[in-house]
């Protein structure tokens, strides 16, 4: 069960970061008080590789030791993913009551998720900022606060993730389409 929660914790941060990497708008979310001009990032489509480095506070030492601080994954960015009316978490199983784009330009995006359920009695809220240095290089960070019941008790855990995404090529493997 602890391993499942660890995967879920990493999943929310990764999914919000991945969503910002590959999609840069909102759909079916609560609109911010001030209308935001939703401009997709000017990113190249195709295969991207993202490295995430996570730091946690508030975790029991034995649980924190089981988490890998750095993970790397690949994702396929398609032209439809850049649509201002499309939001995706790429099937990581995280459901948020609201996902809001606070800022969206050709080079920067600021996103916020609230009421995000990762299962096992844990929920999270987070905010991330991402910057596209050029059409092939994205960096960013995400801060998430987790709360609820877990196998190691009730409490609050904070996570901070730093993301670096690089375009690999124009073609994605068939299993990513």
């Amino acid at each position: 069960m602890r391993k499942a929660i660890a995967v879920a914790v990493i999943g929310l941060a990764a999914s919000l970061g991945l969503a910002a990497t590959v999609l840069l708008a909102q759909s079916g979310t609560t609109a911010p008080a001030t209308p935001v001009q939703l401009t997709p990032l000017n990113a190249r489509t195709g295969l991207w590789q993202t490295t995430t480095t996570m730091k946690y506070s508030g975790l029991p030492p034995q649980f924190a030791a089981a988490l890998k601080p750095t993970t790397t994954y690949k994702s396929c960015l398609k032209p439809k993913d850049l649509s201002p009316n499309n939001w995706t978490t790429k099937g990581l199983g995280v459901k948020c009551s609201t996902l809001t784009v606070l800022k969206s330009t050709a080079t920067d995006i600021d996103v916020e998720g609230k009421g995000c359920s990762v299962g096992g009695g844990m929920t999270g809220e987070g905010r991330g900022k991402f910057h596209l240095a050029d059409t092939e290089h994205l960096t960013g960070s995400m801060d998430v606060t987790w709360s609820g019941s877990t196998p190691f008790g009730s409490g609050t855990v904070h996570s901070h993730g730093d993301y670096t995404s690089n375009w690999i090529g124009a073609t994605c493997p068939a299993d990513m389409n």
Side-chain angles (χ1 to χ4, degrees), residues 33-100:
T34 304
V36 174
Q37 176 67 36
L38 299 177
T39 304
L41 285 178
N42 185 24
R44 290 190 70 168
T45 57
L47 189 61
W48 283 74
Q49 181 169 298
T50 300
T51 299
T52 304
T53 303
M54 300 295 297
K55 294 180 185 176
Y56 300 92
S57 62
L59 285 176
Q62 70 276 15
F63 189 63
L67 297 175
K68 291 169 105 177
T70 302
T71 58
T72 299
Y73 56 91
K74 293 179 182 175
S75 58
C76 185
L77 176 60
K78 300 174 186 175
K80 70 177 184 174
D81 296 327
L82 295 173
S83 167
N85 296 316
N86 192 12
W87 182 271
T88 184
T89 58
K90 290 291 187 186
L92 291 174
V94 177
K95 295 180 179 148
C96 299
S97 61
T98 61
L99 288 170
T100 306

Side-chain angles (χ1 to χ4, degrees), residues 20 23-25 36-43 82 84 101-111 130-132 138:
L23 185 67
L24 313 161
V36 174
Q37 176 67 36
L38 299 177
T39 304
L41 285 178
N42 185 24
L82 295 173
V101 176
L102 304 170
K103 176 182 178 181
S104 176
T105 70
T107 59
D108 294 283
I109 186 162
D110 187 352
V111 295
F130 299 87
H131 174 71
L132 191 66
L138 181 105

